[in-house]
Amino acid sequence: MPVYKLNINGKIRSVDVAADTPLLWVLRDHLQLPGTKFGCGIGQCGACTIHYDGVAVRSCVMPVSSVRDAKITTIEGLSENGDHPVQLAWDEVDVAQCGYCQAGQIMTAAALLKKTPKPTLEQVENAMHGNICRCGAYHRIREAVLEAAKKTKP
């Protein structure tokens, strides 16, 4: 098996895994970064969302061999102290119910705000559309993203 050198949360990490191993399992099982969640395994629910060079992507359908020199950010690397504007807004609005989908939701929202610091409600809805919340906290999720946008520097 090849050894892959990955830039995860600003640190170079080496893993010895099969080329087709999904990045999700590399993160969770080999690098002990359990914040990225397994949801559906087919890239449909968004629980496994990470940033790939700043873009929100599904790690469950990304083979480790495709990562190359990209900078990967997980929920653990979004903010050292949990004080990213999206994380603060999530707490302020009290978004989480069961919490399982929240890391993926937060990563998607953070990528949106990096690209579009002051999104419209429609832009928030479009960006967050692919993330599923079984608890149905969609209204609070939208509210938190818009609240975070107020705190995000353009």
Side-chain angles (χ1 to χ4, degrees), residues 13-93:
R13 308 282 300 268
S14 296
V15 291
D16 187 5
V17 296
D20 62 347
T21 304
L23 182 58
L24 169 67
W25 299 118
V26 170
L27 295 170
R28 291 183 59 80
D29 295 346
H30 298 276
L31 299 177
Q32 285 67 56
L33 294 168
T36 304
K37 304 296 185 206
F38 172 78
C40 65
I42 58 173
Q44 297 295 308
C45 74
C48 68
T49 302
I50 52 130
H51 292 174
Y52 180 90
D53 282 338
V55 177
V57 298
R58 308 297 201 248
S59 63
C60 72
V61 293
M62 176 177 283
V64 68
S65 60
S66 71
V67 174
R68 309 235 191 290
D69 295 328
K71 292 179 181 174
I72 302 297
T73 305
T74 67
I75 190 71
E76 292 91 347
L78 187 61
S79 167
E80 190 174 310
N81 301 313
D83 59 358
H84 186 280
V86 175
Q87 292 169 310
L88 295 174
W90 238 250
D91 286 342
E92 189 176 314
V93 176

